[in-house]
Amino acid sequence: MAIQKPSIPKGTRDFSPEIMAKRNFIFDTIKSVFKLYGFQAIETPAMENLSTLLGKYGEEGDKLLFKVLNSGDFLSDVSETELSERNLTKLSTQICEKGLRYDLTVPFARYVVQHRNDIQFPFKRYQIQPVWRADRPQKGRYREFYQCDVDVIGSNSLLNEVELVQIISDVFSKLGLNTITKLNNRKILSGIAEIIGQKDKIVDITVAIDKLDKIGLEAVNKELSEKGLPENAIEQLQPIINLSGNNYQKLDQLSQVLSQSEVGMKGISEMRTIFDYLSAIELNTEVELDLTLARGLNYYTGAIFEVKAKDYAIGSICGGGRYDDLTGIFGLKDVSGVGVSFGADRIFDVLSGLEQFPSSAQATTDLLFVNFGAKEEAYIMPILQKLRKAGINTELFPESDKMKKQMTYADKKSIPFVAIVGENEMTQGTISLKNMISGEQNTMNLEELIVFFKENKK
Amino acid sequence: MAIQKPSIPKGTRDFSPEIMAKRNFIFDTIKSVFKLYGFQAIETPAMENLSTLLGKYGEEGDKLLFKVLNSGDFLSDVSETELSERNLTKLSTQICEKGLRYDLTVPFARYVVQHRNDIQFPFKRYQIQPVWRADRPQKGRYREFYQCDVDVIGSNSLLNEVELVQIISDVFSKLGLNTITKLNNRKILSGIAEIIGQKDKIVDITVAIDKLDKIGLEAVNKELSEKGLPENAIEQLQPIINLSGNNYQKLDQLSQVLSQSEVGMKGISEMRTIFDYLSAIELNTEVELDLTLARGLNYYTGAIFEVKAKDYAIGSICGGGRYDDLTGIFGLKDVSGVGVSFGADRIFDVLSGLEQFPSSAQATTDLLFVNFGAKEEAYIMPILQKLRKAGINTELFPESDKMKKQMTYADKKSIPFVAIVGENEMTQGTISLKNMISGEQNTMNLEELIVFFKENKK
């Protein structure tokens, strides 16, 4: 067979041991917090039926689905005429029944409906799995990436929103990052559209407001005008776009503007409740009401969340909101949910950029024994077993190669300590321990070595 | 949009929180042992280029690959003539460039070659990821399932084989399973074929020997005869098929039969070395030389491993071997590796069947606070925070629903303790703790509660 130059599909990645250790530090931290709040893991298959996925992400999303070719005679249902027509959309659903999941939200909705009789509601689940999108690959955008979703479904209580902010606070506190958590509420945005008499313009308005940070007030107003908003409506929007003060002061100002909108006042009341709960507990994230936050307007119906790192310029590192009808498309009405998704790749970039990964995110061997030959191997084998029993990650270099090669191995693998057991040590029942960073060398017996590592690991 | 009845592709599975907790118990146990021996995780993309996968698993394997339809105009390179020819094999590679990985071995080989300049050899890696096969689904056989592979590549030392047996021993000891680890050596099998003058019949011989347990000696001999082995060759095979005694006694008998075969004697010497090392350490698995073990003969070149559960009838739960030219196909010659793969699904079935999952494999909330309303919520929120800070997985039911509903939630979610904080408790600064299994109820303060759970978790 011809020799192939190995490569992987564009937009996909191999993760080396060094990268994996850092990624797992992020995932493990996130998971440990999810569990503290009583969330449980589920997993769904990588492939879903295309009928589950199609039409859920808009026309553009449909194009970005990876479709899986049917096994066997994939053309059996395709006629000569259909083949020669080359209607790609039609043909692709004829020859493909399955697709790779595009996100974790639609599979979760499908899961909830399919297993509704086995699920105890409120259902607190988390899900950490890769998703696939046939997007054009570019810096920071991949065709395969992990999503970390956490949702409560089947409860309207605002305690769930509060809990999600606590989770955000705990996760980023454990990761050592300073963050700001921006909150908004879809009902407030609806109230605004209602008050200015532009109910059908809600999307245009929020899209424009969303750009305030980037393009400034004047350009936002210009865009609103271009989208067909009359001058007086834009005028009415100004106090809203220019809200100031702390969260409660902003809500007070909004109450005055939105007093005639039932939905708007409902949104304000929700946010007041959320802020009341939050003010009673310690948080490690700054919480800010931000009306320019308008993500996920197609499905969010209440609170909207977005988290930014304060010390590193990058998009949002976590976001989500409440959705009142996620499962309707699969036949289960009136099930409200709320959740957020952590952006593992961006969090990785922030921690890398700030050099914030702890040394525990290295996950390598604690101790390497140099290999001097068969006699030493036989002597060391039971020692290795005792060290491992004590929870110390230990290796014996598998061949009695040159010392230099063995030390290079320890160095390249970032193993912090090397043990040397030769003639002298075997006679005296000792182990010489070399610190690979300081170069310091100490002689001790096995018991002392175990104590040393146990102390060292704390 | 029409309402869809939700389902998933055949041969795939959703994993509920209960199942996930048990699966993670298995994966976490395996990973913790891998790390103790200095193995590090890597991950590769779900999709590989089809050119990487095709031709690596035989003609049958090629058919079982899931192929991913190219995005965009997938027919652009297909002519009218080619379309009307309906040559499925040719067409599928024209419209699909990528496929889902079929195992972890080929992607690992590809990884090693592609990143060989960044890898420190010997490379000790583990990889736990799903693989996909378009097999006909049946009981215990899925189209998506996880593999758990652990390999050392770039070292010929037999210490690696010894270490893998130790890993097998540690993993199944931690999982609480009694096992037998069967060992064989491809070189011994080659020696046998050589001695009886049937070098080209090695596959036939081993396939027949492999059936000894199932069909008995007579049928094996019959099959050998049908495969064209002359009577005298079958005669010569008899002492080998009927080896008896302990491992060393078997090797002694083999030495006499194979004394004229260089490769056979090499295999015997390898096994002697491995057994010598193993006899010096404590093992929790029975180790047995078994010449009927003939897995993976297409690529294994030295030791072959297979592990069986002793108390539960199921196929092998772990297996592997040494391969001398895994990476050759990708252009990197003479890199020897050895590894085993743990069968997570079968291990799951064994632990379920023997009811051996520990209670720690439940991974649920430790404590649920009953919700009596807004006043109690405000009182409980800071308490929750302190409990979580102490590492106790704690929930407050999000709505002040009927007591019965809240208790049912705790019960269904297998939460072992429920905390009740009402008027009395708030006045007295206490918490009433109910044991959901015994029904026992105790009153204590927060500090006592934390101590109670810390003791309880040990």
Side-chain angles (χ1 to χ4, degrees):
Chain A
M1 223 177 300
I3 283 170
Q4 303 167 348
K5 195 176 167 227
S7 66
I8 51 177
K10 62 178 175 179
T12 68
R13 292 169 287 176
D14 281 328
F15 295 115
S16 69
E18 295 72 32
I19 302 292
M20 278 299 292
K22 289 176 176 172
R23 286 173 63 85
N24 281 336
F25 166 69
I26 295 172
F27 291 132
D28 290 346
T29 303
I30 292 174
K31 274 188 237 174
S32 72
V33 174
F34 290 169
K35 287 179 190 170
L36 276 180
Y37 287 80
F39 288 82
Q40 296 178 306
I42 68 160
E43 279 189 9
T44 62
M47 293 187 284
E48 292 275 352
N49 291 320
L50 266 184
S51 56
T52 300
L53 302 174
L54 283 168
K56 307 303 187 299
Y57 308 104
E59 214 172 303
E60 204 44 46
D62 281 355
K63 284 189 194 146
L64 301 184
L65 292 173
F66 279 112
K67 300 178 183 73
V68 177
L69 193 67
N70 294 341
S71 345
D73 182 0
F74 54 87
L75 288 180
S76 62
D77 289 343
V78 189
S79 69
E80 281 308 315
T81 323
E82 285 168 325
L83 264 185
S84 58
E85 273 171 14
R86 291 180 179 246
N87 179 334
L88 296 172
T89 309
K90 186 179 167 194
L91 216 48
S92 69
T93 55
Q94 283 180 300
I95 64 178
C96 302
E97 279 170 4
K98 298 175 287 291
L100 298 182
R101 71 176 158 249
Y102 180 90
D103 69 3
L104 302 179
T105 309
V106 168
F108 177 50
R110 194 265 311 144
Y111 179 97
V112 168
V113 179
Q114 191 174 332
H115 303 284
R116 61 182 176 275
N117 296 325
D118 304 318
I119 292 172
Q120 187 59 33
F121 293 98
F123 184 37
K124 302 174 82 170
R125 90 85 172 78
Y126 73 85
Q127 190 169 357
I128 301 180
Q129 290 191 275
V131 302
W132 296 270
R133 296 180 184 180
D135 248 322
R136 190 181 303 273
Q138 57 184 56
K139 190 178 168 351
R141 193 204 278 163
Y142 304 100
R143 292 185 147 194
E144 173 180 66
F145 59 97
Y146 273 76
Q147 290 195 331
C148 293
D149 283 19
V150 60
D151 293 81
V152 191
I153 195 157
S155 164
N156 295 306
S157 167
L158 294 171
L159 275 178
N160 299 305
E161 275 82 346
V162 173
E163 199 166 71
L164 288 172
V165 176
Q166 290 183 279
I167 286 174
I168 288 166
S169 165
D170 283 6
V171 164
F172 291 113
S173 163
K174 287 195 180 188
L175 292 175
L177 292 181
N178 295 317
T179 55
I180 178 159
T181 302
K182 299 186 172 193
L183 296 184
N184 196 2
N185 193 299
R186 165 65 189 254
K187 295 189 181 78
I188 295 179
L189 296 178
S190 298
I192 294 169
E194 188 181 46
I195 285 295
I196 63 171
Q198 302 289 331
K199 260 188 172 171
D200 57 326
K201 288 281 196 299
I202 172 85
V203 173
D204 287 338
I205 294 171
T206 49
V207 166
I209 294 185
D210 196 26
K211 294 181 185 164
L212 184 65
D213 274 356
K214 284 176 210 149
I215 63 176
L217 181 59
E218 207 170 320
V220 168
N221 287 338
K222 185 156 168 274
E223 180 166 329
L224 288 169
S225 172
E226 283 165 5
K227 292 290 177 186
L229 253 74
E231 274 312 304
N232 69 324
I234 297 176
E235 198 62 41
Q236 278 179 287
L237 273 179
Q238 297 311 300
I240 287 163
I241 304 180
N242 288 307
L243 282 188
S244 62
N246 66 28
N247 294 328
Y248 286 110
Q249 288 165 337
K250 286 181 185 170
L251 288 177
D252 288 342
Q253 294 160 53
L254 275 172
S255 303
Q256 294 179 359
V257 186
L258 300 184
S259 61
Q260 296 311 306
S261 163
E262 196 183 330
V263 64
M265 292 308 284
K266 180 78 168 54
I268 291 170
S269 153
E270 287 183 5
M271 295 317 289
R272 238 188 259 281
T273 305
I274 293 171
F275 288 129
D276 283 350
Y277 278 117
L278 288 175
S279 62
I281 47 186
E282 282 173 52
L283 285 180
N284 295 301
T285 184
E286 212 175 290
V287 177
E288 186 189 288
L289 179 69
D290 183 351
L291 292 190
T292 72
L293 176 63
R295 57 183 290 145
L297 281 175
N298 292 330
Y299 40 98
Y300 292 140
T301 51
I304 303 173
F305 307 86
E306 194 165 278
V307 184
K308 296 240 180 193
K310 289 177 83 170
D311 308 319
Y312 195 81
I314 202 166
S316 72
I317 52 178
C318 177
R322 179 172 286 274
Y323 39 86
D324 277 347
D325 191 28
L326 184 70
T327 54
I329 184 65
F330 297 114
L332 188 62
K333 292 279 175 201
D334 299 325
V335 180
S336 183
V338 59
V340 296
S341 183
F342 287 82
D345 283 310
R346 285 204 180 147
I347 294 171
F348 185 96
D349 289 344
V350 174
L351 289 171
S352 293
L354 297 174
E355 295 182 9
Q356 280 269 27
F357 278 110
S359 60
S360 64
Q362 208 152 42
T364 183
T365 304
D366 297 314
L367 175 62
L368 172 79
F369 278 79
V370 174
N371 190 329
F372 290 113
K375 201 169 134 200
E376 287 82 1
E377 283 172 5
Y379 182 86
I380 290 167
M381 294 288 281
I383 296 179
L384 291 177
Q385 201 164 30
K386 283 187 187 123
L387 287 165
R388 289 175 185 142
K389 217 165 235 167
I392 299 158
N393 300 346
T394 316
E395 283 182 63
L396 165 63
F397 196 82
E399 337 228 2
S400 56
D401 276 331
K402 283 191 185 123
M403 186 77 162
K404 195 183 163 205
K405 189 174 170 192
Q406 300 192 42
M407 294 309 256
T408 303
Y409 175 85
D411 190 44
K412 288 276 170 63
K413 207 170 166 178
S414 301
I415 300 175
F417 292 95
V418 166
I420 295 159
V421 178
E423 278 297 341
N424 277 346
E425 285 83 0
M426 288 198 292
T427 315
Q428 292 162 19
T430 59
I431 293 154
S432 290
L433 185 71
K434 181 174 177 171
N435 182 322
M436 287 294 283
I437 294 150
S438 68
E440 201 187 340
Q441 202 155 323
N442 281 302
T443 301
M444 50 185 89
N445 65 30
L446 178 59
E447 287 66 38
E448 290 164 338
L449 190 70
I450 290 174
V451 170
F452 173 81
F453 275 98
K454 290 208 157 174
E455 290 296 319
N456 213 40
K457 272 210 163 180
K458 274 177 191 164
Chain B
M1 222 177 300
I3 283 170
Q4 302 168 346
K5 198 178 165 225
S7 66
I8 50 177
K10 62 178 177 182
T12 69
R13 292 168 288 175
D14 283 327
F15 295 116
S16 69
E18 295 72 32
I19 303 292
M20 278 298 292
K22 290 176 176 171
R23 287 173 63 85
N24 282 337
F25 166 70
I26 295 172
F27 290 132
D28 290 346
T29 302
I30 291 174
K31 276 187 235 175
S32 72
V33 174
F34 289 170
K35 286 179 189 167
L36 276 180
Y37 287 80
F39 287 82
Q40 295 179 306
I42 68 160
E43 280 189 10
T44 61
M47 293 186 285
E48 293 275 352
N49 292 322
L50 267 183
S51 56
T52 300
L53 302 174
L54 283 169
K56 306 302 187 298
Y57 308 104
E59 213 172 303
E60 204 43 47
D62 282 354
K63 284 190 193 144
L64 299 184
L65 291 173
F66 280 112
K67 301 178 182 73
V68 177
L69 193 66
N70 293 341
S71 344
D73 184 359
F74 54 86
L75 289 181
S76 61
D77 288 343
V78 188
S79 70
E80 282 307 317
T81 323
E82 286 168 323
L83 264 185
S84 59
E85 274 170 11
R86 291 180 178 246
N87 179 334
L88 296 172
T89 309
K90 185 179 168 195
L91 217 47
S92 69
T93 55
Q94 284 181 297
I95 64 178
C96 301
E97 279 171 1
K98 297 176 288 293
L100 297 181
R101 70 175 159 251
Y102 179 90
D103 69 3
L104 301 178
T105 309
V106 168
F108 177 49
R110 195 264 312 143
Y111 179 97
V112 168
V113 179
Q114 192 174 331
H115 303 285
R116 60 180 178 272
N117 296 326
D118 304 318
I119 292 172
Q120 186 58 32
F121 293 99
F123 184 37
K124 301 174 83 170
R125 89 85 172 79
Y126 72 86
Q127 190 170 357
I128 301 180
Q129 290 192 276
V131 301
W132 295 269
R133 297 181 184 181
D135 247 322
R136 191 182 302 274
Q138 58 183 57
K139 190 177 168 354
R141 192 204 279 162
Y142 304 100
R143 292 185 146 193
E144 173 181 66
F145 58 97
Y146 273 76
Q147 290 195 332
C148 293
D149 282 19
V150 61
D151 293 80
V152 191
I153 194 158
S155 163
N156 294 307
S157 166
L158 294 170
L159 274 178
N160 299 304
E161 275 82 345
V162 172
E163 199 166 72
L164 288 171
V165 176
Q166 288 183 281
I167 286 174
I168 289 167
S169 165
D170 283 6
V171 164
F172 291 112
S173 164
K174 288 196 180 188
L175 292 175
L177 293 180
N178 296 315
T179 55
I180 179 159
T181 302
K182 298 183 172 194
L183 296 184
N184 196 2
N185 193 298
R186 167 62 190 255
K187 295 189 180 78
I188 295 179
L189 296 179
S190 298
I192 294 169
E194 189 181 44
I195 285 296
I196 63 171
Q198 303 289 331
K199 259 189 173 171
D200 57 324
K201 289 279 194 306
I202 173 84
V203 174
D204 288 337
I205 294 171
T206 49
V207 165
I209 294 185
D210 196 26
K211 293 180 186 165
L212 184 63
D213 274 355
K214 285 177 209 146
I215 63 176
L217 180 61
E218 207 169 321
V220 168
N221 287 339
K222 186 156 167 272
E223 181 168 328
L224 289 169
S225 172
E226 283 164 7
K227 291 290 178 189
L229 253 74
E231 274 312 302
N232 69 324
I234 298 176
E235 199 61 40
Q236 278 178 290
L237 272 179
Q238 298 311 300
I240 287 162
I241 303 179
N242 288 307
L243 282 187
S244 62
N246 67 28
N247 295 328
Y248 286 110
Q249 288 166 336
K250 286 181 186 171
L251 288 177
D252 288 343
Q253 293 161 53
L254 277 172
S255 304
Q256 295 180 359
V257 186
L258 300 184
S259 60
Q260 296 311 307
S261 163
E262 195 183 332
V263 64
M265 292 309 285
K266 180 82 168 55
I268 291 171
S269 155
E270 286 183 8
M271 296 317 289
R272 238 189 259 279
T273 305
I274 293 170
F275 288 129
D276 282 350
Y277 277 118
L278 289 175
S279 62
I281 48 188
E282 282 172 54
L283 285 180
N284 294 300
T285 184
E286 211 174 290
V287 177
E288 186 189 288
L289 178 69
D290 183 352
L291 292 191
T292 72
L293 176 62
R295 58 182 292 144
L297 281 175
N298 292 330
Y299 40 97
Y300 292 140
T301 51
I304 303 172
F305 307 86
E306 193 164 278
V307 184
K308 297 242 180 191
K310 289 177 81 171
D311 307 319
Y312 195 82
I314 202 165
S316 73
I317 52 179
C318 177
R322 178 171 287 273
Y323 39 86
D324 276 347
D325 191 28
L326 185 69
T327 55
I329 184 65
F330 297 114
L332 189 62
K333 292 279 176 199
D334 299 323
V335 180
S336 183
V338 59
V340 295
S341 183
F342 287 82
D345 283 310
R346 283 203 182 150
I347 294 171
F348 185 97
D349 289 344
V350 175
L351 289 171
S352 293
L354 296 174
E355 296 182 9
Q356 280 270 27
F357 279 109
S359 60
S360 64
Q362 208 151 41
T364 185
T365 305
D366 297 315
L367 175 62
L368 173 79
F369 278 78
V370 173
N371 189 329
F372 290 113
K375 202 168 134 200
E376 287 82 0
E377 283 172 5
Y379 182 86
I380 290 167
M381 294 288 283
I383 296 179
L384 291 177
Q385 202 164 28
K386 283 185 187 126
L387 287 165
R388 288 174 185 142
K389 217 163 236 169
I392 299 158
N393 300 346
T394 317
E395 282 182 64
L396 165 62
F397 196 80
E399 337 227 3
S400 55
D401 277 331
K402 285 196 185 117
M403 186 77 161
K404 196 185 161 204
K405 189 175 170 191
Q406 301 191 42
M407 295 308 257
T408 303
Y409 175 86
D411 189 45
K412 287 277 171 63
K413 209 171 165 178
S414 301
I415 301 175
F417 292 96
V418 166
I420 293 158
V421 178
E423 278 298 339
N424 277 345
E425 284 84 358
M426 288 198 291
T427 316
Q428 293 163 17
T430 59
I431 292 154
S432 290
L433 185 72
K434 183 177 174 169
N435 182 320
M436 288 294 283
I437 293 150
S438 69
E440 200 188 341
Q441 202 155 322
N442 281 302
T443 301
M444 50 185 87
N445 65 28
L446 179 58
E447 286 65 39
E448 290 166 338
L449 190 69
I450 290 174
V451 170
F452 173 82
F453 275 99
K454 291 209 155 172
E455 290 295 317
N456 214 38
K457 271 211 164 178
K458 273 175 194 167

